[in-house]
Amino acid sequence: MKKHSLKHIQFIDIPTINDPDGRGNLSFVQSPVVPFEVKRVYYLYDVPTNAYRGAHAHLEQYELLIALSGSFDVVLDDGQKKERFLLKSPKVGLLIPPGIWRELDQFSSGSVCLVLNSDKFDEGDYIRNYDDFLNSKEN
């Protein structure tokens, strides 16, 4: 697993075009805004306010999370320190490198979390047990 810490977490500004006629905004993600080749896209929605998602770390994959609608918290943990980040705007993404435990909670009603991933789904890239995650950080 790559040895990343919370200092490697980045907020990324998503380019946005504001329509001068008041017809809404358009935001887009493309290279080089996303610092990796996007190989998978998925989104979370209809998550109850008292539920949480995530609860895993990746060994090699990067993720960019964007709150397309509503808001939610992302709790990140590098094995030494935990920090909570609020995502509430489709104009900002949160870049999470490999080796960081993540949990998402406090979903507002109607929230949608878009996730751009650097690779296709591979169960072997996941650490789903927190104690295993902590042990992997010691090696």
Side-chain angles (χ1 to χ4, degrees):
M1 174 175 12
K2 297 185 178 179
K3 301 287 185 183
H4 287 106
S5 69
L6 292 184
K7 70 180 180 183
H8 297 104
I9 303 303
Q10 297 177 43
F11 281 107
I12 294 181
D13 292 327
I14 306 298
T16 300
I17 299 169
N18 299 308
D19 187 277
D21 296 325
R23 298 176 298 164
N25 301 321
L26 181 145
S27 294
F28 56 94
V29 289
Q30 64 185 21
S31 180
V33 172
V34 179
F36 55 82
E37 180 183 353
V38 177
K39 294 189 178 177
R40 180 168 51 127
V41 176
Y42 63 94
Y43 46 95
L44 305 170
Y45 61 98
D46 291 341
V47 180
T49 301
N50 61 348
Y52 73 94
R53 299 296 308 245
H56 66 270
H58 286 287
L59 295 170
E60 299 291 331
Q61 296 181 22
Y62 287 78
E63 289 185 331
L64 180 67
L65 280 62
I66 303 169
L68 291 184
S69 179
S71 65
F72 52 89
D73 285 351
V74 182
V75 180
L76 299 179
D77 180 342
D78 64 10
Q80 300 292 317
K81 181 180 173 187
K82 286 185 183 183
E83 194 167 338
R84 182 174 290 271
F85 300 86
L86 172 64
L87 290 181
K88 62 180 182 176
S89 170
K91 297 178 183 180
V92 177
L94 183 65
L95 179 64
I96 306 173
I100 303 292
W101 186 266
R102 81 277 328 268
E103 295 181 5
L104 287 69
D105 64 11
Q106 303 296 317
F107 286 84
S108 69
S109 178
S111 61
V112 177
C113 172
L114 177 70
V115 182
L116 307 177
N117 199 286
S118 66
D119 212 341
K120 296 178 182 175
F121 177 79
D122 175 7
E123 184 61 37
D125 189 63
Y126 284 76
I127 300 176
R128 295 189 185 273
N129 179 283
Y130 186 71
D131 289 334
D132 291 345
F133 167 72
L134 291 177
N135 289 335
S136 73
K137 297 301 269 189
E138 294 174 3
N139 298 329

